[in-house]
Amino acid sequence: MATRNFALNTEPHVAEIGAIKLEFHPEVFGDEFMDAYVEMRDAQKAKGVDLDNLAEADPSDIRRTVRSLRLFLSRQMLEDSAARFLRLNVVKDGETVETFQDFDQAEAYAAQHGARVVDELRLPTRVIVELLEWVVELFGGGNRPTLSSAASSTPSRQAGRRGTGVSPSRASTRTPGR
């Protein structure tokens, strides 16, 4: 009789974004992950926002789509990280006048008080998308196996293309005009 042992992660996965650390559940049940993922995709489709082509989308639709990404990611996080990640500040004249977790409530309050809604944990959209890709890889059965907690977070992609520059030693041997 063959025996196979399966390991379960017991330590949270950590995404480091500068000095910020967001902790994710060590393991997520597949049905819970898929339910959250489907909700996020449905919210994105309902607004018709293509994350690869944001130039043509309405800014309020983009904001709601990014919020749906945040909600999905928060469902994979430990409670303290999720609360921090979802916290919204209503800001008027540069000062926070109220704090919310729910986007609709924050928007309604802001509209009543001539203020605006700002994520407390401000992150570039590209970082949120990279977090999404990482979480899907971790919990969604991506091509790579789940990483250990110590190796969970990888640096963001570097801008530009690699290998297109000319090294100084080769540049000095080139003939001008060629």
Side-chain angles (χ1 to χ4, degrees), residues 128-142:
I128 294 173
V129 170
E130 287 178 35
L131 272 172
L132 172 67
E133 291 169 352
W134 178 66
V135 165
V136 168
E137 187 175 285
L138 276 176
F139 301 127

Side-chain angles (χ1 to χ4, degrees), residues 115-130:
R116 65 188 189 104
V117 178
V118 178
D119 289 302
E120 185 171 291
L121 181 57
R122 298 187 70 199
L123 296 172
T125 302
R126 71 167 176 80
V127 171
I128 294 173
V129 170
E130 287 178 35

Side-chain angles (χ1 to χ4, degrees), residues 9-17 20-28 33 69-82 85 123 127-128 130-136 138-139 149 152-153:
N9 291 315
T10 58
E11 295 295 319
H13 298 284
V14 179
E16 292 182 1
I17 307 165
I20 301 162
K21 290 185 181 186
L22 297 173
E23 292 185 316
F24 290 79
H25 293 287
E27 296 285 355
V28 173
F33 176 84
L69 297 178
R70 281 182 176 261
L71 288 168
F72 167 77
L73 290 167
S74 73
R75 289 176 66 177
Q76 316 316 310
M77 292 179 186
L78 297 182
E79 189 175 333
D80 289 344
S81 290
F85 192 66
L123 296 172
V127 171
I128 294 173
E130 287 178 35
L131 272 172
L132 172 67
E133 291 169 352
W134 178 66
V135 165
V136 168
L138 276 176
F139 301 127
S149 294
S152 292
S153 182

Side-chain angles (χ1 to χ4, degrees), residues 1-172:
M1 174 181 271
T3 302
R4 181 166 179 174
N5 292 321
F6 293 88
L8 294 175
N9 291 315
T10 58
E11 295 295 319
H13 298 284
V14 179
E16 292 182 1
I17 307 165
I20 301 162
K21 290 185 181 186
L22 297 173
E23 292 185 316
F24 290 79
H25 293 287
E27 296 285 355
V28 173
F29 292 103
D31 58 338
E32 293 171 0
F33 176 84
M34 288 310 297
D35 289 346
Y37 190 79
V38 167
E39 286 176 25
M40 177 200 59
R41 295 299 296 184
D42 288 348
Q44 181 182 345
K45 285 180 184 177
K47 293 296 179 186
V49 174
D50 177 5
L51 291 176
D52 293 325
N53 185 15
L54 297 177
E56 297 178 17
D58 179 85
S60 67
D61 290 343
I62 293 172
R63 189 162 172 82
R64 288 192 176 278
T65 299
V66 171
R67 188 66 183 172
S68 73
L69 297 178
R70 281 182 176 261
L71 288 168
F72 167 77
L73 290 167
S74 73
R75 289 176 66 177
Q76 316 316 310
M77 292 179 186
L78 297 182
E79 189 175 333
D80 289 344
S81 290
R84 181 177 186 196
F85 192 66
L86 291 178
R87 195 171 299 127
L88 298 162
N89 291 333
V90 176
V91 177
K92 183 173 182 177
D93 299 327
E95 292 193 31
T96 299
V97 293
E98 192 64 62
T99 301
F100 293 87
Q101 293 285 322
D102 182 86
F103 185 73
D104 291 330
Q105 291 175 353
E107 271 199 330
Y109 186 90
Q112 291 173 354
H113 295 87
R116 65 188 189 104
V117 178
V118 178
D119 289 302
E120 185 171 291
L121 181 57
R122 298 187 70 199
L123 296 172
T125 302
R126 71 167 176 80
V127 171
I128 294 173
V129 170
E130 287 178 35
L131 272 172
L132 172 67
E133 291 169 352
W134 178 66
V135 165
V136 168
E137 187 175 285
L138 276 176
F139 301 127
N143 293 331
R144 293 183 359 199
T146 301
L147 304 172
S148 68
S149 294
S152 292
S153 182
T154 57
S156 295
R157 289 182 224 128
Q158 297 297 315
R161 295 184 347 209
R162 294 179 183 231
T164 58
V166 177
S167 68
S169 61
R170 288 190 63 151
S172 63

